[in-house]
Amino acid sequence: MTAIFADAAMPDDRRRTLIYQGNIFVVAPNAATLALTEFARGLLEEVFSPHHPTRAQYEMPVERFVEIFGPVKPRFIHHPRTKDLVRDVVEQLGADLAETYIDVPRLRGVTSDGYLTAGAGYAFPLHRDVWWSAPLAQINWWLPIYDFEAESSMAFHPHYWEKGISNGSEEFNYYVYNATGRAQAAQHISRDTRKQPGPREPVQPDPQLRVVCPVGGIIGFSAAQMHSTVPNTSGRTRFSIDFRTVNVSDLREGRSAPNVDSYCEGTSLRDFRRGTDGAQVPGELVARYDSGEVPEGAVLVYEPTSR
Ligand SMILES: [Fe+2]
């Protein structure tokens, strides 16, 4: 069973337990989430001016759209304000910043009507983030930057919570991916040739859950939850922010979502930084969750270039 908890007040550890059991949280807008989304809106509106970012795709060829949108993503990631704004969001969620490690947030755009189908605007088919070496204790947080509809949302597929499927995670090594797969994402326009550990058998997207919330709302779910980006048919580009958290006591105690079908090598735990002071996850914990080989030339931590 998957329940959706709407603006449910409870201690963070109780919420994490429920998320590790496959439940989904949606939290109402607060000052911190509104500040983060307003900041992202400012960056988008500046570069797409005089067009509105959600309608700019109808005003320019796709190559131009990629040229404009591609550089905003690293700019958002590396902007000195972003980290503080995300930390405020985590604090407002009631998490203990001394125990919570946060990765860098991403800015995503999903264009409407198949305008941009790969790279910078890629709509992910059904997947679990743990297939990409995310820890099973990872919680994903997702915020819309503009109001959106069920036609441009994420979808959850909770019937796969306990049901494993054949997927490419067994051939996936995070450190090889860091070295080879990530760097050229923005260059892909129509065909995505990057190796992705997706499903290897026909998937059944239905029944599916789509959660719609206003700007400043935030959706939290387990990295083991099967989810996808629905093909956007809303007539507007959907822009969103997402970031991930892990709680260090859960790592220590081995509390997490169950693993039903993830066989990848490596761990993304080195990407996370402690909320209070930016410290890395302690090395002994990273080692406990690491697996497989570090092949020659592989990269432990991917540093997105700031362009
Ligand atoms: Fe995902």
Side-chain angles (χ1 to χ4, degrees), residues 151-271:
E151 289 72 30
S152 58
S153 66
M154 268 193 309
F156 297 102
H157 313 276
H159 51 289
Y160 284 116
W161 179 254
E162 290 178 330
K163 186 173 173 264
I165 65 166
S166 174
N167 66 82
S169 67
E170 59 194 65
E171 285 179 17
F172 184 82
N173 177 297
Y174 190 60
Y175 313 128
V176 173
Y177 176 63
N178 284 340
T180 59
R182 301 178 76 156
Q184 310 90 4
Q187 294 166 13
H188 294 261
I189 291 177
S190 61
R191 200 164 66 91
D192 205 318
T193 52
R194 290 171 297 155
K195 199 171 181 181
Q196 305 280 1
R200 282 181 169 171
E201 62 176 65
V203 285
Q204 181 48 261
D206 295 316
Q208 58 180 273
L209 269 174
R210 300 184 181 189
V211 180
V212 179
C213 63
V215 169
I218 182 164
I219 301 170
F221 58 100
S222 164
Q225 186 73 257
M226 191 77 84
H227 60 285
S228 61
T229 302
V230 309
N232 183 349
T233 55
S234 70
R236 297 186 304 154
T237 303
R238 183 265 268 167
F239 292 98
S240 61
I241 298 166
D242 55 89
F243 63 90
R244 289 140 285 278
T245 56
V246 285
N247 177 283
V248 76
S249 61
D250 289 351
L251 292 178
R252 255 187 224 112
E253 305 299 325
R255 289 186 290 258
S256 72
N259 183 10
V260 295
D261 59 9
S262 179
Y263 306 101
C264 46
E265 292 185 345
T267 175
S268 63
L269 272 176
R270 292 179 190 83
D271 299 353

Side-chain angles (χ1 to χ4, degrees), residues 131-142:
W131 292 345
W132 276 257
S133 299
L136 288 157
Q138 175 178 300
I139 296 173
N140 292 9
W141 299 99
W142 187 96

Side-chain angles (χ1 to χ4, degrees), residues 273-285:
R273 295 290 180 274
R274 184 159 58 194
T276 41
D277 59 2
Q280 285 188 273
V281 176
E284 77 270 13
L285 282 177

